[in-house]
Amino acid sequence: VAWTEKEKLQCQELVQKGQSEEEIAHHLKSKSEAQVRSYLQNKKQRQSQAQAVEQVFGDEDTPRKSKGRGRKPPTQAMNTVPNANLDAKTLLSGKVL
């Protein structure tokens, strides 16, 4: 459900005054108590996520480490066969190295 800017401001003012969700819903005629509750929970969650992001990325001077597995090492198959070459014609003919 979309909230107008006016409704958002009124809701924030009422929260700062210490009113409950039921009282806020009664004051905002177009919103139910469940809508007010979910709006306040979402707002609280967004604020906590923003703070977490600021803590993680707040210090930009520190180098970041890659958390991935990195590049795959080259294959070792050619190192196990002595005198191997990559002659495609010989390989496709089926002759044994």
Side-chain angles (χ1 to χ4, degrees):
V1 176
W3 284 64
T4 63
E5 290 299 320
K6 184 178 178 182
E7 289 173 334
K8 290 178 186 179
L9 290 174
Q10 287 178 343
C11 184
Q12 290 304 314
E13 289 172 0
L14 295 172
V15 167
Q16 289 174 353
K17 290 180 182 177
Q19 293 192 3
S20 68
E21 295 161 355
E22 185 178 334
E23 294 168 337
I24 295 171
H26 182 70
H27 185 74
L28 299 173
K29 303 290 183 191
S30 63
K31 304 295 178 192
S32 67
E33 184 178 347
Q35 289 172 327
V36 171
R37 186 180 311 113
S38 64
Y39 172 76
L40 293 175
Q41 285 176 347
N42 290 339
K43 186 155 183 71
K44 187 176 182 181
Q45 200 171 36
R46 274 186 257 131
Q47 287 174 344
S48 65
Q49 288 174 350
Q51 289 175 350
V53 167
E54 286 178 11
Q55 289 176 353
V56 171
F57 296 112
D59 189 13
E60 292 293 330
D61 296 335
T62 59
R64 295 184 192 162
K65 287 189 175 181
S66 170
K67 294 185 180 181
R69 292 174 44 184
R71 288 185 56 122
K72 197 183 220 184
T75 182
Q76 299 293 319
M78 296 307 290
N79 297 336
T80 60
V81 179
N83 300 324
N85 58 14
L86 293 175
D87 183 16
K89 188 175 183 180
T90 309
L91 291 172
L92 290 174
S93 70
K95 293 182 183 177
V96 181
L97 295 174

